Structures are given as structure tokens and as C-alpha cells.
Amino acid sequence: MSMSDRLEPASSKRRQKTLESQAQEAQRTIDELRSRDALKTQFLSNVSHDLRTPLAAIITHAEILRDGMLGELNPKQRDSVGGIVSGGQQLLDMIDEILTYVRSASDQVSLVRTDFSITEVVDQVRMLNQALAAKKHLTIERLNGDDLPPVYADRDKVKHVLGNLIGNAIKFTPDGGRVWISFSRRGREGEELVVEVADNGRGIARDNFELVFREFAQVDASPSRPHHGTGLGLAIARNFVELHSGKIWVESELGKGSRFFFTLPLNAPHD
Amino acid sequence: MPYRILIVEDSPLVTDAFRVLFTEAGYEVDAAATVAEAIERGTAAPVDIMLLDLSLPDGNGLEILEALRARGSLPRSTLAMTGHADAKSRRSCIEAGCAEVLLKPVPIGELLRQIERQLA
């Protein structure tokens, strides 16, 4: 028996032990990170709740003043108080987005599925965004979908996803541009609906296709960036789509616009 | 006699804002910050409109409706207010007897309109 043969079992055992202890160490680190992440999420949720209440009071007081309930204001005073209301409203929207994200990422979130017409929801969201689009002289069109069967999904959450995608398309498309929504079907029997929200705006570089769906990520994260926000909109959209076992993705080319897609189950025809 | 509004809300900041709003709009205003206090105020004198925050320190706001119904002191109309009105919580409010579920903070114009509609 050679020297190395006799040494082999002992060193292999040692290696095995080292590997085991490394694996245990890695598991401890993962557990630790998970529990810190859960703590951070809980903190985010609590702080957002606590911010919401005084903000609601500020907005209500400012509205009372603005509407002249405590005496008429002159136009300059009214404008100024109006600024408090709209600034407060914007802040509230951001807090709500954080709360929606926390909920969408938590285990307790559940879907309330019903049959509904996806084109009806798309048209509602288009209406809601009409004023914003008009300001930038953008058009929002729905290209097809009148003959689609109902989708079986959580209407509020699908509406939220559409609102986010259409809102982003408006935000990142320059004046005079175009936003459009279209549908296609896939799967063996066309049982899956693919919803597309597209624009001819500035587009997204291929390297950022994954990044845009990550929480708190913004392609331009500099303080001087032209578009501010929580960076949670697409992360929420992804969570809501995935709750429906759907997929969400983007295809784009810089300067040539973006096409966001997500899938939803179409309702099986009723007997 | 002015209509009587009972504000059930645990944040004194929000209650103060509503108190100013409704007093200026000509209503008689009463307020409660807990389930227990709301049941007490709700039975003390008839309430025309109850504005109901759902999450209170000692329980869920809907418990108040149940207790007031048992005492024969249901307000003429109850408007629930919540920070998060999903389909499920909306349904449980309506089932419990709320006339409307409003998303907090409700713009004051809309809130006043809703109240007038309930009183019409």
C-alpha cells in the first residue's frame, strides 16, 4: 500500500467535514438574510402606514382651506394651498405604492378571481390616463380584442398591472408619441392571453430588461433623473402577474420604443 | 336640528380635520376613537351618519355596527373608510351594513357629496 492510499480516506473525510461546515455556514447566512429581509419588509409596511395617517390629515386640512370653507382665499393663496394638496397627494401615491408592493410580496396576499372582460378594464385604464396623455399630446389606442372570451383573474390586480404599464408608457414617451394595447392568444387551444402594452418612446437597453422588474431599481437612478418614483411599479406588476401563474417581460430597443407583455389565463368556456 | 355625524377614527389628527370640515358644513359632530367608545356614543343619542374607520385599537370597526344593531341604535347610514379597499374587504363592509366603502383619504368634496346623498 502506498503512502497516498493510506492518506486518502482521512483527507477525503476532512474535505467532507469542511464542505459540510461550509454548507451549514451558508445556510445560516441565508436564514439570517431572510429574517433580516422580512424585518425590513415589516418595517417598510409599518412606516408607510404611520406616514399615511398624518398625511391624510394634512391633505384634508389643506382641502378645507383651498375650498374656502374657512373663508375665501385670494387666487395666490388658493394656488399655494392647492400646491399642498397636490404635493400631499403625490406623496400619498408613493406611500400607497410601497404598501401595495409589501402586500404583493407577502405570503398572505390572495387572489379574488372572477370572469371579466379584459377590454373593458383596458378601456377604463385608458380613460383614467386620458388627461395625462392629452397633456403630452399622446394617443392611447386599443388595437383589437373585441371578440375575446372573459379572462378568469383578479380584476383589481390586473387593472393595477395595466395602470402601471400604461402609466409608464406615457411617462417615457415624448410629446406627440403613441401608446397602444393589443392582444394575442397562445397555448395549444389559445387558452392563454398575451396582453401587450407598447409605445414608441425612448426604449430600454437590453442589459436592463431584467433590472426594470427588480424592486427599487430604476434605469436612471441619479438624483437628477427626470422621472421620479418609488421604483416599485414594475416589481408590483411582476408579483401580481406571477400570482396568476403568468409571465411578464419586455422587448425593446433604445430609441425605438418598448413592448411590455404579460400573460393571463383565459376562462374555459362555460358548459 | 342639524344632522349628527359620529366620526369613529383612532387618529386625533384625522378626527380634528373632520371636525373642522363637518362643523363648517353645518353638522353636529361627535367622535370616538375606539370600538367601546363608539358603541357608547352611538347609543347615547341617535346618529345620522357614522364615518367608520375599520382598524381601531380595540378591534374591527364592523363590530360597532353589530353591537349597535343589537341595541337597536343603528345609525341612519354608515360610511366605512379604509386605507385599502380590495374587493374582499369591500364585500365584508357592505354585508355588515355599510352604505359605502370609501378609500382614505377621501377628497372632501366627495365625502360631503356622499353624506348628502345618504341623507337625501
Side-chain angles (χ1 to χ4, degrees):
Chain A
M1 201 182 259
S2 75
M3 191 75 164
S4 70
D5 279 342
R6 260 179 292 147
L7 283 174
E8 193 58 33
S11 84
S12 152
K13 253 188 201 163
R14 236 189 344 260
R15 259 207 309 274
Q16 178 78 21
K17 266 204 155 159
T18 316
L19 277 176
E20 271 169 24
S21 91
Q22 276 171 349
Q24 276 171 6
E25 183 61 30
Q27 191 54 50
R28 265 198 299 274
T29 310
I30 291 169
D31 291 345
E32 169 80 17
L33 286 175
R34 274 214 186 107
S35 84
R36 279 193 202 181
D37 190 50
L39 211 63
K40 193 183 71 193
T41 307
Q42 188 58 47
F43 170 78
L44 208 56
S45 170
N46 293 348
V47 169
S48 306
H49 267 291
D50 292 350
L51 288 174
R52 218 178 177 285
T53 304
L55 187 56
I58 291 171
I59 294 173
T60 304
H61 276 298
E63 284 180 322
I64 292 169
L65 282 173
R66 183 200 58 191
D67 293 358
M69 295 190 73
L70 302 178
E72 267 319 299
L73 303 186
N74 68 38
K76 280 184 185 169
Q77 290 169 329
R78 202 165 36 242
D79 277 357
S80 184
V81 178
I84 300 177
V85 175
S86 46
Q89 197 60 51
Q90 205 175 325
L91 190 53
L92 192 73
D93 288 346
M94 287 169 74
I95 293 172
D96 283 347
E97 190 155 81
I98 296 175
L99 280 168
T100 306
Y101 167 72
V102 171
R103 283 197 197 99
S104 78
S106 80
D107 298 336
Q108 302 112 13
V109 71
S110 59
L111 294 179
V112 183
R113 289 185 202 249
T114 52
D115 290 329
F116 64 89
S117 151
I118 185 79
T119 51
E120 214 178 276
V121 176
V122 165
D123 291 344
Q124 263 180 16
V125 177
R126 279 169 62 214
M127 284 284 288
L128 287 171
N129 283 282
Q130 208 55 59
L132 205 62
K135 253 191 215 164
K136 294 183 78 177
H137 308 287
L138 296 173
T139 56
I140 318 174
E141 296 161 272
R142 173 167 68 78
L143 301 187
N144 59 358
D146 286 336
D147 51 351
L148 283 173
V151 291
Y152 182 61
D154 186 316
R155 190 188 167 108
D156 286 348
K157 294 190 174 63
V158 171
K159 192 172 169 189
H160 193 103
V161 173
L162 282 163
N164 178 271
L165 295 181
I166 293 175
N168 273 351
I170 294 172
K171 196 153 118 184
F172 294 108
T173 301
D175 282 18
R178 234 185 110 218
V179 175
W180 65 96
I181 299 105
S182 66
F183 307 94
S184 56
R185 294 172 73 163
R186 67 178 199 188
R188 208 175 303 160
E189 286 163 26
E191 68 277 12
E192 202 174 32
L193 178 70
V194 183
V195 185
E196 174 182 354
V197 177
D199 63 67
N200 64 351
R202 65 189 213 200
I204 297 164
R206 180 169 289 277
D207 288 352
N208 291 324
F209 283 6
E210 294 284 324
L211 177 80
V212 292
F213 292 103
R214 233 179 273 157
E215 39 279 273
F216 305 113
Q218 289 194 328
V219 172
D220 180 359
S222 65
S224 60
R225 67 191 187 277
H227 302 287
H228 289 262
T230 56
L232 288 172
L234 284 173
I236 295 169
R238 183 202 59 205
N239 288 349
F240 281 170
V241 170
E242 286 176 356
L243 275 170
H244 288 87
S245 309
K247 285 194 172 63
I248 187 167
W249 70 97
V250 61
E251 292 172 10
S252 179
E253 212 178 307
L254 271 181
K256 291 196 175 160
S258 305
R259 301 169 66 193
F260 280 86
F261 300 87
F262 67 95
T263 60
L264 284 176
L266 277 173
N267 188 19
H270 291 293
D271 287 329
Chain B
M1 271 279 279
Y3 290 114
R4 183 163 178 256
I5 296 188
L6 175 61
I7 305 164
V8 185
E9 162 67 58
D10 65 332
S11 155
L13 280 174
V14 173
T15 302
D16 283 352
F18 281 154
R19 203 186 276 281
V20 174
L21 173 67
F22 297 135
T23 307
E24 288 303 319
Y27 294 104
E28 183 190 320
V29 183
D30 198 357
T34 61
V35 170
E37 208 182 332
I39 296 170
E40 194 255 312
R41 302 308 305 152
T43 39
V47 173
D48 294 297
I49 297 283
M50 178 159 74
L51 269 192
L52 188 59
D53 181 15
L54 293 181
S55 65
L56 294 166
D58 56 342
N60 185 305
L62 297 180
E63 293 167 30
I64 299 166
L65 275 172
E66 214 173 297
L68 290 179
R69 183 176 288 121
R71 289 166 174 72
S73 300
L74 263 190
R76 191 159 142 194
S77 186
T78 298
L79 301 172
M81 291 184 306
T82 163
H84 173 233
D86 60 19
K88 218 155 90 185
S89 62
R90 191 175 284 273
R91 203 179 315 141
S92 58
C93 287
I94 301 295
E95 279 168 8
C98 298
E100 283 290 344
V101 185
L102 308 172
L103 195 62
K104 273 208 297 195
V106 194
I108 60 167
E110 192 195 327
L111 187 55
L112 294 174
R113 263 194 306 280
Q114 281 284 357
I115 290 173
E116 278 164 28
R117 193 175 309 153
Q118 297 304 322
L119 292 172

